[in-house]
Amino acid sequence: MAQPMTPRPLSRRTALKRAAGAALAAGTTLGLGAPTAMAAPSLQDVRAFQGTWSGAYDGRRATLRIVVQQQPPSSYYTLFLTFTEVDRGETYSGTVQYVPQDAHEVRGITLTGPSTLSWPSLLLHTWNTDFLSGTSSWGGSGYPFSFYRSSSAPPYAAGRGFRGWTDWLGQPYDKAEYAGNIDGRNAHLKVFRYLANGRPQVQFTLEDLDRSVSWAATFWDVDFNQWSTDRQRNPLAGVRMAPYPQSAEPKAIDYLYWHSWNAMYVTGADIWNGNRYGMSFIRQTPLLP
């Protein structure tokens, strides 16, 4: 997996960015209401952050409102954010200045309210701007969130909290599937356990359905058992997933977090050309209480 990354073709991305309102994909909602990437514009500029968003903040219900204003006479923009943790009845607000016009990631966000929240990263998914994701930081740990533009947000998927790495799988079949998107493209995350040379092994597979390419990474059970809870929630951090077909480039994962309060949600980001690109999934396989 430690092979060097090759340049990602830019032709389709460039074409989409120059075609306002381009249709990216079409699909239908899966059983538990996980969103698929419908026809939506690709990223034009930072103003696509503006809107009202609904989703899950570390698994709890949450809303986010963003207003984007230009800072004349410069080409920079200011983002005004109002965030509400619905389940806790708490509202926070904050402002980020000097955001470049072409930004799809906003970093170093501070929100104030009943306490102070730190958001290291807020990612707009560039292939479909109806998706937004990122991480909050507290006590040295990361806590992910996934938002969907309110006009197209799926129903909230209620679930219990994270108990340990075997929740990635679920009983009784030792496999689970999550539906969602990679940077706005239709995608699946699949996790299953099998025997390799008589030893149990767990495989994570990301499938980019729109590009017909997938990536995989495997771990021994014994590895998971030795990790901390934070690492078990984020097992692919820093991993370069091997591609299929092999002619595709590996996928460098920055993080792929299970929401600690709700095992139905997974949020992640990969790294390409020095930039992060978000991904978000909702569990489709039943999870035991």
Side-chain angles (χ1 to χ4, degrees):
M1 296 185 189
Q3 54 187 300
M5 295 184 71
T6 57
R8 174 183 292 181
L10 295 178
S11 57
R12 186 179 177 214
R13 179 179 294 277
T14 301
L16 280 169
K17 286 189 176 182
R18 292 179 181 176
L24 299 181
T28 57
T29 301
L30 298 181
L32 291 176
T36 56
M38 304 296 286
S42 58
L43 179 65
Q44 303 298 312
D45 61 44
V46 71
R47 287 172 293 183
F49 275 94
Q50 179 156 311
T52 303
W53 305 82
S54 301
Y57 183 78
D58 197 32
R60 298 183 296 272
R61 291 179 298 164
T63 62
L64 178 65
R65 183 172 181 266
I66 303 177
V67 175
V68 182
Q69 292 184 0
Q70 189 175 2
Q71 299 174 210
S74 74
S75 60
Y76 291 105
Y77 286 77
T78 297
L79 272 62
F80 301 88
L81 299 93
T82 304
F83 165 69
T84 300
E85 268 211 61
V86 176
D87 289 341
R88 290 178 168 176
E90 298 178 352
T91 297
Y92 301 78
S93 61
T95 302
V96 184
Q97 295 181 306
Y98 302 106
V99 180
Q101 183 175 2
D102 62 351
H104 77 276
E105 179 178 20
V106 180
R107 302 182 182 182
I109 299 171
T110 299
L111 302 175
T112 57
S115 59
T116 300
L117 302 179
S118 174
W119 291 6
S121 176
L122 179 65
L123 287 160
L124 190 66
H125 297 200
T126 70
W127 286 74
N128 186 328
T129 56
D130 283 345
F131 300 100
L132 189 68
S133 61
T135 56
S136 178
S137 178
W138 182 78
S141 298
Y143 297 93
F145 50 80
S146 297
F147 288 106
Y148 311 91
R149 206 172 291 277
S150 291
S151 59
S152 59
Y156 176 72
R160 61 166 173 78
F162 173 78
R163 294 176 182 169
W165 72 267
T166 55
D167 278 347
W168 281 106
L169 300 159
Q171 300 296 329
Y173 302 113
D174 278 350
K175 63 180 180 180
E177 182 170 337
Y178 305 76
N181 74 92
I182 297 175
D183 195 31
R185 298 183 301 275
N186 293 303
H188 284 167
L189 167 66
K190 296 180 179 179
V191 188
F192 64 95
R193 181 161 50 185
Y194 61 98
L195 292 179
N197 297 322
R199 298 173 61 193
Q201 192 171 42
V202 177
Q203 177 169 310
F204 287 76
T205 302
L206 283 172
E207 298 180 347
D208 187 326
L209 303 178
D210 292 344
R211 287 177 163 175
S212 298
V213 62
S214 62
W215 300 267
T218 57
F219 304 90
W220 298 111
D221 276 22
V222 66
D223 293 334
F224 274 111
N225 291 331
Q226 294 175 352
W227 290 344
S228 67
T229 300
D230 276 356
R231 178 71 189 279
Q232 290 181 7
R233 282 199 307 118
N234 187 21
L236 294 181
V239 170
R240 289 169 63 87
M241 301 183 75
Y244 181 82
Q246 294 182 354
S247 57
E249 64 180 276
K251 181 170 287 294
I253 303 298
D254 186 32
Y255 57 86
L256 190 67
Y257 270 114
W258 198 317
H259 291 218
S260 63
W261 283 82
N262 188 338
M264 299 297 289
Y265 290 92
V266 174
T267 299
D270 67 277
I271 300 175
W272 177 77
N273 201 27
N275 295 310
R276 294 186 185 92
Y277 295 90
M279 61 182 86
S280 51
F281 298 94
I282 299 177
R283 186 184 182 100
Q284 301 295 286
T285 307
L287 181 69
L288 293 181

